[in-house]
Amino acid sequence: MRSFSWVPFSLLCLILTCVIICAGQSEDGVRGHVFRSDALRLTYTFSEKLAPMVESEMPPTFRSDPNGREDLILALWDTPERTGTPRMAFLYDKNVRQAGLSRAQMADNYLNAIKQMWVSVPGVKIVGPKQISPAGYSIWRLDLRQPDDRPHYNSAVVIPLADRRLLVIRVSAPSQSELDTEVDSLSALHFDRK
C-alpha cells in the first residue's frame, strides 16, 4: 500500500487556488499599448506613438463633468508631455437611456445634442451623424471642422452599450486624413461577450 503525502497535495491545492483567483482578476488600466476596462468589458490597443493617461492618474476635475454623468476613463496624447487637447478621449456616459430605444436612436440623440451646440457657430462644418463599422459592429460618428481653433478636425464617436449607457470617444486631429486614421484605429476596440 502506497503512503499518501499531504505536502505535495496541499501545495497543488494552493497553486490551483492561486491560478483560479488570478484568472478571475483583470486589472483596469494600460499595459504596454493596451487599455482595459473591466466595468465596460472593453479592450483597446492603441498606437505606440500615443501617450496614455487613465482615470486614476487624472485630477478629479479633469476626469468628470460637473453633472457627474460622464467619466473620462482614458486620454491619449500625441506628445509624451500629455499637454493640450488629447488626440483621443474615452468617456463613459453613465446615464441609462430609456428602454425601447434602438442603438441608433441612443447614438443619434447624443450626437444631435452635440450638433445643436455647434450649428450656430460661424464657419463650423458639420458632417453626420453617420453609422460606421470599423470593429465589425455599428458605431456612430459626427465630424466637426472648426475654422479657427486647433485642432481643426474633430469627431464624436458614440458606441451604445448593452446596459443602455454610452461609450463616447472624442477624436481631434490637425487634418482630415489624420482624423480618419484615428477613427479607423477603433477597429482595435474589442468588447468581451458575457
Side-chain angles (χ1 to χ4, degrees), residues 178-191:
E178 289 179 86
L179 183 71
D180 292 338
T181 298
E182 297 299 349
V183 173
D184 290 345
S185 79
L186 296 177
S187 63
L189 198 68
H190 175 74
F191 290 93

Side-chain angles (χ1 to χ4, degrees), residues 32-177:
H33 298 287
V34 178
F35 169 72
R36 173 74 186 158
S37 169
D38 282 337
L40 301 179
R41 305 176 63 88
L42 165 73
T43 305
Y44 175 59
T45 304
F46 55 89
S47 169
E48 62 188 48
K49 294 184 247 177
L50 298 175
M53 184 182 290
V54 294
E55 184 176 18
S56 62
E57 298 172 335
M58 296 176 203
T61 55
F62 189 63
R63 63 179 180 232
S64 288
D65 72 3
N67 300 324
R69 181 176 130 175
E70 289 182 344
D71 288 337
L72 181 58
I73 60 172
L74 173 67
L76 300 167
W77 282 267
D78 55 1
T79 62
E81 297 81 26
R82 300 185 291 191
T83 58
T85 303
R87 181 59 71 105
M88 299 178 84
F90 289 67
L91 298 107
Y92 175 48
D93 184 330
K94 300 176 288 191
N95 184 38
V96 178
R97 276 55 187 182
Q98 72 183 57
L101 289 178
S102 69
R103 291 173 43 89
Q105 290 169 319
M106 287 187 278
D108 282 342
N109 290 346
Y110 187 94
L111 293 174
N112 284 329
I114 291 175
K115 193 175 187 178
Q116 289 307 308
M117 291 187 313
W118 289 94
V119 75
S120 63
V121 176
V124 171
K125 181 180 177 187
I126 302 170
V127 178
K130 63 182 176 180
Q131 184 177 340
I132 60 173
S133 300
Y137 49 86
S138 296
I139 63 179
W140 286 263
R141 174 183 181 174
L142 175 71
D143 286 355
L144 302 160
R145 181 170 181 216
Q146 302 175 57
D148 300 328
D149 298 326
R150 291 185 182 257
H152 296 291
Y153 298 85
N154 300 280
S155 277
V157 176
V158 174
I159 304 170
L161 304 173
D163 63 1
R164 299 190 324 270
R165 291 178 170 89
L166 302 175
L167 176 64
V168 179
I169 304 163
R170 295 184 183 165
V171 186
S172 302
S175 70
Q176 185 66 48
S177 64

